[in-house]
């Protein structure tokens, strides 16, 4: 099929064919990354994204598995990289990169890479990747931290490759400032290599369709997407919707406050009234990392059927007061900013449930990233991670989901993989009965994970738990989910510096459940009986949370 | 017991043999003053001229020193004087330093210089290059110390190096001093690199160093001040070569190193042979640390062996890489036996320092080392305890 150079309007059918082909290219890049990376966080955890951008840096599509928020951020990063290295100075084989938190995704472990795609001597597009690296040096603490300088190596915008050659100094510095240089350098090379293959595929695409560039196609994608989003927003009733939510923070509780203004075909999100940034913990979010999880819920709710691209976000503005925990200023600590921003969708849904209808869910049990690292006589220098989740919030028409990844779409490293790479044995990983918030639609269950250190030496254990001091709230009179708890050898733990696990130590994680949606007394008796039968609630839970007599099979 | 697996240390024995041979070479006094003999490199210089020439070199280093004090931005350099500037010959051996240079740094730098030259061989260097590193295991034992080595060109070839070591105000990393689990937490680690390439700032290096520092103006300003002062020092050194009609300093260097070595060997010979031992408990951190030394005096050489010292620890940043143990062990001996001779590497050739690998005095990568001075500052006490 030859469509010629798209000038003006591409018809919808051709557009869809071309667009899907581009997504397929990104899926191939994605697959190649999974198969060639060295670290579990990329190969098993899928904490990365690969994105196609036009020559201005606007995103056109991504691989279907790409982490949602990364895809929203990368175009912003790309433009900063192109400010530093203007497009007409680039050479074939260049790869631009940075892990600057204020330019990239908000913390140092995420490396953003940008590869220009050359066609007939000029840059016609960019392939970008964002990936969470296993280690970038810095203190081993996750939550505790005073400033960003403690958090590892900061690489300002630089060329990782120059005209196809590795930048020797950059590779050397990055490797020397990392505890697992083989993983980090291997992952960087895997990312760059995959985008190189992707660039070749984009050129094949241009050849197959007889295109000189993708400018017309990009305009079509971005404009159609923007128009669609504007129509969907216009369908919502105008108004100002507000919500406030207390979240764990660290040491001090943090308050998130939002005011969403829907006016015509535009949305304004304003976080005025949120807590100030803190020097007590690395839970501060830079603007980029607030922007992405703020816009993404709207994409999911209003345009779930359209491939992710930057046109969708044009009608939405995000504002957060400078110096607040959602627009933190250099050089505060930001390593665990996810602990704050993973809650942003809950604040937005709290504000918008009256108009979003089916498309919201109550608060959830959070993400509990855990990292185990150390030296082992048999396993060598190891570092593994897992991103287990609490239960998801109840929805207007459904119970909350069990612990699946949310709001990110990373996957959960299997226990078996971790056991092959670190000296630990998992004793339990199961659903946590009675942890889902009661309501017309019950919150999803949290989970219990128990593991034991079986090595011969100390292991460093880092955990960033959530919802251990504040409840996952329900919506529309639904009840909160059960709070999370952490025990080591039976002792409750509330502070999370790097923990030194000794051989034989047993760690118990009780992840919180999601909040319920709707009043408890509206939950049907057969659903309560079903939950009892499945073991989602216990007889005691049925009595206390639902006023339900399990023996009689009815409400008392 | 393990001898430190350090090429620099193993080189000591070989270098001393070479130095000894060089000392006996034939010479014609007065050739230096004549100045007309093209190609003369200072070999066989008479003692009076040697002292005049040597003092001239020290004066050059004093000028570099003063310039650093006047142009640096941080108080730790301008007021605290936590730096050294040293003249090295083309092999990296130290010949002299500014009189106010920190003694340990002067002992460390030649070892570092040889590692830098290994990475960037002499014949690949260009005028205006500045080599640098803050690697604890190559340098002085912790990240805040940046070591810089600048080749001095004369008639198209490298005839000497000017080196500086300076303690920087901040290199990132956690704000703790003593507490620490590994070196990765302690700041940016720059393995051997070119800070300047043919006179041009290495923009990526400057950018990375600045970005990973709480006070980039101080740190980058100090690095530039160091490099600038050394540039002036190079000019003065070439003036010196011109004034004395020297084509290089290979012969002069052999004189300085050979005479110094022979002096130190005589002074050691005057001491009674024997094995002198001492053990000392010091603070450490959380756990007390034990330092144990056996000093063996045998003829004209002296061996310091720390076998029996506590192992390295992951609980605190008080571990010393071998280089910092070497420096702080060497210097008390220099002070006691040759206080009258300008500091140069010939003095250290008769002395061997051994510390078991994995001990707190020869810590392996990546142990935390930021506060290694808390341990090494006690070494002179152990040595004096054994030798009083």
């Amino acid at each position: 099929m030859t469509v010629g150079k798209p000038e003006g309007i591409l018809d919808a059918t051709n557009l869809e064919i071309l667009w899907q082909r581009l997504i397929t290219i990104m899926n191939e890049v994605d697959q190649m990354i999974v198969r060639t990376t060295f670290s579990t966080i990329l190969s098993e955890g899928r904490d990365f994204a690969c994105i196609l951008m036009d020559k201005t840096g606007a995103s056109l599509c991504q691989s279907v598995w790409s982490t949602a928020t990364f895809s929203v951020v990368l175009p912003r990063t790309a433009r900063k990289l192109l400010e530093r290295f203007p497009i007409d100075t680039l050479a074939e084989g260049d790869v631009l990169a940075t892990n600057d938190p204020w330019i990239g995704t908000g913390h140092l472990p995420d490396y953003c890479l940008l590869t220009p795609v050359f066609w007939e001597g000029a840059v016609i597009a960019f392939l970008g990747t964002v990936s969470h690296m296993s280690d970038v040096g810095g203190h081993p603490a996750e939550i505790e931290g005073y400033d960003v300088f403690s958090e590892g190596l900061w690489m300002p915008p630089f060329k990782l490759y120059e005209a196809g050659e590795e930048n020797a100094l950059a590779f050397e510095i990055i490797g020397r400032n990392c505890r697992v240089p083989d993983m980090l350098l291997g992952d960087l090379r895997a990312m760059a290599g995959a985008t190189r293959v992707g660039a070749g595929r984009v050129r094949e695409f241009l050849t197959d369709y007889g295109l000189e560039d993708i400018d017309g196609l990009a305009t079509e994608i971005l404009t159609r997407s923007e128009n669609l989003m504007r129509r969907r927003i216009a369908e919502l009733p105008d108004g100002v919707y507000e919500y406030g939510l207390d979240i764990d923070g660290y040491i001090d509780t943090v308050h998130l406050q939002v005011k969403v203004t829907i006016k015509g075909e535009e949305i304004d999100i304003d976080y005025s009234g949120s807590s100030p940034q803190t020097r007590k913990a690395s839970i501060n979010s830079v603007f980029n990392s607030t922007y992405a999880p703020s816009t993404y819920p709207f994409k999911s709710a209003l345009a779930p059927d359209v491939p992710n691209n930057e046109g969708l976000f044009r009608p939405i503005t995000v504002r957060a007061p400078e110096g607040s925990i959602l627009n933190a200023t250099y050089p505060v600590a930001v390593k665990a900013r996810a602990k704050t921003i993973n809650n942003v969708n809950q604040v937005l849904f709290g504000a918008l449930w009256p108009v979003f209808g089916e498309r919201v869910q109550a608060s959830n049990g959070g993400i509990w990233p855990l990292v185990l690292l150390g030296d082992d006589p048999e396993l060598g220098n190891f570092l593994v991670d897992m991103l287990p989740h609490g239960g998801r919030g109840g929805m207007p028409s459904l119970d909350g989901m069990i612990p699946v990844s949310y709001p990110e779409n990373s996957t959960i490293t299997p226990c078996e993989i971790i056991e092959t790479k670190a000296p630990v044995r998992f004793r339990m990983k199961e659903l946590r009965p009675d942890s889902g918030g009661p309501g017309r639609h019950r919150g999803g269950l949290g989970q219990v994970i128990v593991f034991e250190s079986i090595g011969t030496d100390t292991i460093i254990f880092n955990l960033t738990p959530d919802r251990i001091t504040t409840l996952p709230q329900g919506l529309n009179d639904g009840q909160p989910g059960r709070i999370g708890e952490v025990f080591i050898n039976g002792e409750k733990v509330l502070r999370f510096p790097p923990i030194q696990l000794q051989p034989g130590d047993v760690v118990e994680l009780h992840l919180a459940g999601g909040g319920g949606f709707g009043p408890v007394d509206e939950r049907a008796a057969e659903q309560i009986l079903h939950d009892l039968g499945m073991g989602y609630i216990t007889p005691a839970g049925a009595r206390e949370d639902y006023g339900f007599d399990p023996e009689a099979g009815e409400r008392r | 017991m393990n001898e430190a697996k350090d090429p620099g240390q193993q080189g000591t024995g070989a270098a001393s043999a070479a130095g000894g041979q060089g000392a006996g070479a034939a010479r014609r006094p007065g050739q230096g003053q004549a100045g007309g003999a093209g190609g003369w490199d200072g070999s066989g210089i008479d003692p009076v001229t040697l002292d005049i020439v040597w003092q001239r070199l020290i004066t050059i280093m004093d000028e570099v020193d003063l310039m650093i004090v006047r142009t640096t931005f941080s108080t730790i350099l301008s007021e605290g004087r936590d730096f050294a500037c040293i003249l090295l010959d083309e092999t990296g051996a130290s010949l002299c330093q500014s009189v106010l240079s920190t003694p340990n740094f002067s002992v460390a730098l030649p070892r570092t210089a040889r590692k830098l030259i290994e990475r960037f061989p002499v014949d690949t260097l260009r005028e205006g290059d500045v080599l640098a590193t803050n690697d604890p295991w190559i340098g002085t034992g912790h990240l805040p110390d940046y070591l810089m080595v600048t080749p001095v060109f004369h008639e198209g070839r490298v005839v000497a190096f000017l080196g500086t070591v300076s303690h920087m105000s901040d290199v990132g990393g956690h704000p703790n001093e003593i507490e620490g689990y590994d070196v990765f937490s302690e700041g940016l680690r720059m393995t051997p690199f070119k800070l300047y390439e043919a006179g041009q700032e290495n923009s990526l290096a400057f950018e990375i160093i600045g970005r990973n520092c709480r006070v980039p103006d101080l740190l980058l300003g100090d690095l530039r001040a160091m490099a600038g002062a050394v540039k002036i020092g190079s000019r003065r050194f070439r003036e010196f070569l011109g004034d004395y009609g020297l084509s290089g300093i290979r012969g002069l260097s052999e004189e300085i190193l050979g005479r110094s070595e022979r002096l130190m060997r005589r002074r050691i010979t005057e001491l009674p042979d024997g094995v002198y031992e001492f053990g000392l408990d010091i603070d450490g951190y959380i756990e007390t640390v034990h330092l144990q030394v056996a000093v063996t005096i045998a003829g004209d050489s002296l061996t310091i062996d720390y076998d029996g010292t506590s192992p390295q620890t992951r609980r605190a940043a008080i571990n010393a890489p071998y280089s910092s143990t070497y420096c702080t062990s060497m210097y008390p001996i220099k002070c006691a036996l040759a206080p009258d001779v300008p500091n140069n590497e010939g003095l250290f050739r008769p002395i061997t320092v051994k510390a078991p690998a994995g001990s707190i005095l020869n810590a392996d990568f990546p142990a935390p080392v930021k506060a290694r001075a808390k341990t090494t500052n006690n070494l002179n006490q152990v040595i004096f305890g054994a030798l009083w």
Side-chain angles (χ1 to χ4, degrees), chain B residues 44-86:
Chain B
I45 195 168
D46 69 84
V48 177
T49 314
L50 173 62
D51 205 48
I52 293 171
V53 168
W54 205 353
Q55 289 302 329
R56 167 88 177 256
L57 294 176
I58 294 171
T59 306
I60 293 174
M61 298 320 293
D62 282 343
E63 186 181 344
V64 172
D65 184 296
L66 205 63
M67 199 164 318
I68 290 172
V69 167
R70 289 191 183 162
T71 55
T72 48
F73 290 68
S74 65
T75 50
I76 194 165
L77 295 180
S78 61
E79 303 292 333
R81 289 196 142 274
D82 198 351
F83 72 92
C85 33
I86 301 137

Coordinates of all heavy atoms in Angstrom, one line a residue, chain B residues 44-86:
Chain B
G44 N 75.1 14.7 37.8 CA 76.4 14.9 38.4 C 76.6 16.3 38.9 O 77.7 16.8 39.0
I45 N 75.6 16.9 39.3 CA 75.6 18.3 39.8 C 76.4 18.4 41.2 O 76.2 17.4 41.9 CB 74.2 18.9 39.9 CG1 74.2 20.4 40.0 CG2 73.4 18.2 41.0 CD1 72.9 21.0 39.8
D46 N 77.2 19.4 41.4 CA 77.9 19.5 42.7 C 76.9 19.9 43.8 O 75.9 20.5 43.5 CB 79.1 20.4 42.6 CG 78.6 21.8 42.5 OD1 78.3 22.5 43.5 OD2 78.5 22.3 41.3
P47 N 77.2 19.6 45.0 CA 76.3 19.8 46.2 C 75.8 21.2 46.3 O 74.7 21.5 46.6 CB 77.1 19.3 47.4 CG 78.1 18.4 46.9 CD 78.5 18.9 45.5
V48 N 76.8 22.2 46.1 CA 76.4 23.6 46.3 C 75.4 24.0 45.3 O 74.3 24.6 45.6 CB 77.6 24.5 46.3 CG1 77.2 26.0 46.4 CG2 78.6 24.1 47.4
T49 N 75.7 23.7 44.0 CA 74.8 24.0 42.9 C 73.4 23.3 43.1 O 72.4 23.9 42.9 CB 75.4 23.6 41.6 OG1 76.7 24.1 41.5 CG2 74.6 24.3 40.4
L50 N 73.5 22.0 43.5 CA 72.3 21.3 43.7 C 71.4 22.0 44.7 O 70.2 22.1 44.5 CB 72.6 19.8 44.3 CG 71.4 19.0 44.7 CD1 70.5 18.8 43.5 CD2 71.9 17.7 45.3
D51 N 72.0 22.5 45.8 CA 71.1 23.1 46.8 C 70.5 24.4 46.3 O 69.4 24.7 46.5 CB 71.9 23.4 48.1 CG 71.0 23.5 49.3 OD1 70.2 22.6 49.4 OD2 71.1 24.5 50.1
I52 N 71.3 25.1 45.5 CA 70.8 26.4 44.9 C 69.6 26.0 43.9 O 68.5 26.6 44.0 CB 71.9 27.1 44.1 CG1 72.9 27.6 45.1 CG2 71.3 28.2 43.3 CD1 74.2 28.2 44.5
V53 N 69.8 25.0 43.1 CA 68.8 24.6 42.1 C 67.6 24.1 42.8 O 66.5 24.4 42.5 CB 69.4 23.6 41.2 CG1 68.4 22.9 40.4 CG2 70.5 24.2 40.3
W54 N 67.8 23.3 43.8 CA 66.7 22.6 44.6 C 65.8 23.7 45.2 O 64.6 23.7 45.2 CB 67.3 21.7 45.6 CG 66.4 20.5 46.0 CD1 65.1 20.4 45.7 CD2 66.8 19.5 46.9 NE1 64.6 19.2 46.3 CE2 65.7 18.6 47.0 CE3 68.0 19.1 47.5 CZ2 65.7 17.5 47.8 CZ3 68.0 17.9 48.3 CH2 66.8 17.1 48.4
Q55 N 66.5 24.7 45.9 CA 65.8 25.8 46.5 C 65.0 26.6 45.5 O 63.9 27.1 45.8 CB 66.8 26.7 47.3 CG 67.4 26.0 48.6 CD 66.3 25.6 49.6 OE1 65.2 26.1 49.7 NE2 66.6 24.5 50.3
R56 N 65.6 26.7 44.3 CA 64.9 27.5 43.3 C 63.5 26.7 43.0 O 62.5 27.4 42.8 CB 65.7 27.6 42.1 CG 65.0 28.1 40.8 CD 65.0 29.6 40.7 NE 64.4 30.0 39.4 CZ 65.0 30.4 38.4 NH1 66.3 30.5 38.4 NH2 64.4 30.8 37.3
L57 N 63.7 25.4 42.9 CA 62.4 24.6 42.6 C 61.4 24.8 43.7 O 60.2 24.9 43.5 CB 62.8 23.2 42.4 CG 63.7 22.9 41.1 CD1 64.0 21.4 41.1 CD2 62.9 23.3 39.8
I58 N 61.9 24.7 44.9 CA 61.0 24.9 46.1 C 60.3 26.3 46.0 O 59.1 26.4 46.3 CB 61.7 24.7 47.4 CG1 62.2 23.2 47.5 CG2 60.9 25.0 48.6 CD1 63.1 22.9 48.7
T59 N 61.1 27.3 45.6 CA 60.5 28.6 45.5 C 59.4 28.7 44.5 O 58.4 29.3 44.7 CB 61.6 29.6 45.2 OG1 62.7 29.5 46.1 CG2 61.1 31.0 45.2
I60 N 59.6 27.9 43.4 CA 58.6 27.9 42.4 C 57.3 27.3 43.0 O 56.2 27.8 42.8 CB 59.1 27.1 41.1 CG1 60.2 27.8 40.4 CG2 57.9 26.8 40.2 CD1 60.8 27.0 39.3
M61 N 57.5 26.2 43.7 CA 56.3 25.6 44.3 C 55.7 26.5 45.3 O 54.5 26.5 45.5 CB 56.7 24.2 44.9 CG 57.2 23.2 43.9 SD 56.4 23.2 42.3 CE 54.8 22.6 42.8
D62 N 56.5 27.3 46.0 CA 55.9 28.2 47.0 C 55.1 29.3 46.3 O 54.1 29.7 46.8 CB 57.1 28.9 47.8 CG 57.6 28.0 48.9 OD1 56.9 27.0 49.2 OD2 58.7 28.3 49.4
E63 N 55.5 29.7 45.1 CA 54.7 30.7 44.3 C 53.4 30.0 43.9 O 52.4 30.7 44.0 CB 55.5 31.1 43.1 CG 54.8 32.3 42.4 CD 55.5 32.7 41.1 OE1 56.7 32.4 41.0 OE2 54.9 33.4 40.3
V64 N 53.5 28.8 43.5 CA 52.2 28.1 43.1 C 51.3 28.0 44.3 O 50.1 28.3 44.3 CB 52.5 26.6 42.6 CG1 51.2 25.9 42.4 CG2 53.3 26.7 41.3
D65 N 51.9 27.7 45.4 CA 51.2 27.6 46.7 C 50.4 28.9 47.0 O 49.2 28.9 47.3 CB 52.2 27.2 47.8 CG 51.6 26.9 49.1 OD1 51.0 27.9 49.7 OD2 51.7 25.8 49.6
L66 N 51.2 30.0 47.0 CA 50.6 31.3 47.3 C 49.5 31.6 46.3 O 48.5 32.2 46.7 CB 51.8 32.3 47.2 CG 51.5 33.5 48.1 CD1 51.5 33.1 49.6 CD2 52.6 34.5 47.9
M67 N 49.7 31.3 45.1 CA 48.7 31.6 44.1 C 47.4 30.8 44.4 O 46.3 31.4 44.2 CB 49.2 31.3 42.7 CG 48.4 32.0 41.6 SD 49.3 31.9 40.1 CE 51.0 32.3 40.7
I68 N 47.6 29.6 44.8 CA 46.4 28.8 45.2 C 45.7 29.5 46.3 O 44.4 29.7 46.3 CB 46.8 27.4 45.5 CG1 47.2 26.6 44.2 CG2 45.6 26.6 46.2 CD1 47.9 25.3 44.5
V69 N 46.4 29.8 47.4 CA 45.8 30.5 48.5 C 45.0 31.7 48.1 O 43.9 32.0 48.6 CB 46.9 30.8 49.6 CG1 46.3 31.8 50.6 CG2 47.4 29.6 50.2
R70 N 45.6 32.5 47.1 CA 45.0 33.7 46.8 C 43.8 33.6 45.8 O 43.0 34.5 45.6 CB 46.0 34.7 46.1 CG 47.0 35.1 47.2 CD 47.9 36.2 46.6 NE 48.8 36.6 47.6 CZ 49.9 37.3 47.4 NH1 50.2 37.7 46.1 NH2 50.8 37.7 48.3
T71 N 43.8 32.5 45.1 CA 42.7 32.3 44.0 C 41.6 31.3 44.4 O 40.6 31.3 43.7 CB 43.3 32.0 42.7 OG1 44.1 30.8 42.8 CG2 44.2 33.1 42.2
T72 N 41.8 30.5 45.4 CA 40.8 29.5 45.7 C 39.6 30.2 46.3 O 39.7 31.3 46.9 CB 41.3 28.4 46.6 OG1 41.9 29.0 47.7 CG2 42.2 27.4 45.9
F73 N 38.5 29.5 46.2 CA 37.2 30.1 46.7 C 36.8 29.5 48.1 O 36.1 30.2 48.8 CB 36.1 29.7 45.7 CG 36.2 30.4 44.4 CD1 37.2 30.1 43.6 CD2 35.2 31.4 44.0 CE1 37.3 30.8 42.3 CE2 35.3 32.0 42.8 CZ 36.4 31.7 42.0
S74 N 37.3 28.4 48.5 CA 36.8 27.8 49.7 C 37.7 28.1 50.9 O 38.9 28.3 50.7 CB 36.8 26.2 49.5 OG 38.1 25.7 49.3
T75 N 37.2 28.2 52.1 CA 38.0 28.5 53.2 C 38.9 27.3 53.6 O 40.0 27.5 54.1 CB 37.2 28.8 54.4 OG1 36.2 27.8 54.6 CG2 36.5 30.2 54.3
I76 N 38.5 26.1 53.2 CA 39.3 24.9 53.6 C 40.7 25.0 52.8 O 41.7 24.5 53.3 CB 38.6 23.6 53.3 CG1 39.3 22.4 54.0 CG2 38.5 23.3 51.8 CD1 38.6 21.2 54.1
L77 N 40.7 25.6 51.7 CA 42.0 25.8 51.0 C 42.7 27.1 51.3 O 43.8 27.1 51.7 CB 41.8 25.7 49.5 CG 41.3 24.3 49.0 CD1 41.1 24.3 47.5 CD2 42.3 23.2 49.4
S78 N 41.9 28.2 51.3 CA 42.5 29.5 51.5 C 42.9 29.7 52.9 O 44.0 30.2 53.2 CB 41.6 30.6 51.0 OG 40.4 30.6 51.8
E79 N 42.1 29.3 53.8 CA 42.4 29.5 55.3 C 43.0 28.2 55.9 O 43.9 28.2 56.7 CB 41.2 29.9 56.0 CG 40.5 31.2 55.5 CD 41.4 32.4 55.7 OE1 42.2 32.4 56.7 OE2 41.3 33.4 55.0
G80 N 42.3 27.1 55.5 CA 42.7 25.8 56.2 C 44.0 25.2 55.5 O 44.6 24.3 56.2
R81 N 44.3 25.6 54.3 CA 45.6 25.1 53.7 C 45.6 23.6 53.6 O 46.7 23.0 53.7 CB 46.8 25.6 54.4 CG 47.1 27.1 54.3 CD 48.5 27.4 54.7 NE 49.2 28.4 53.9 CZ 49.8 28.1 52.7 NH1 49.8 26.9 52.3 NH2 50.3 29.1 52.0
D82 N 44.4 23.0 53.3 CA 44.4 21.5 53.2 C 44.7 21.1 51.8 O 43.9 20.6 51.1 CB 43.0 21.0 53.7 CG 43.1 19.5 54.0 OD1 44.1 18.9 53.7 OD2 42.1 19.0 54.5
F83 N 45.9 21.4 51.4 CA 46.4 21.1 50.0 C 47.9 21.0 50.0 O 48.6 21.3 50.9 CB 45.9 22.1 49.0 CG 46.6 23.5 49.1 CD1 47.7 23.7 48.3 CD2 46.2 24.5 49.9 CE1 48.4 24.9 48.4 CE2 46.8 25.7 50.0 CZ 47.9 25.9 49.2
A84 N 48.4 20.5 48.8 CA 49.8 20.4 48.6 C 50.1 20.7 47.2 O 49.2 20.4 46.3 CB 50.3 19.0 49.0
C85 N 51.3 21.2 46.9 CA 51.7 21.3 45.5 C 53.1 20.8 45.4 O 54.0 21.2 46.2 CB 51.5 22.7 44.9 SG 51.8 24.0 46.1
I86 N 53.3 20.0 44.4 CA 54.5 19.1 44.4 C 55.1 19.1 43.0 O 54.4 19.0 42.0 CB 54.1 17.7 44.9 CG1 53.5 17.7 46.2 CG2 55.3 16.7 44.8 CD1 52.3 16.9 46.4

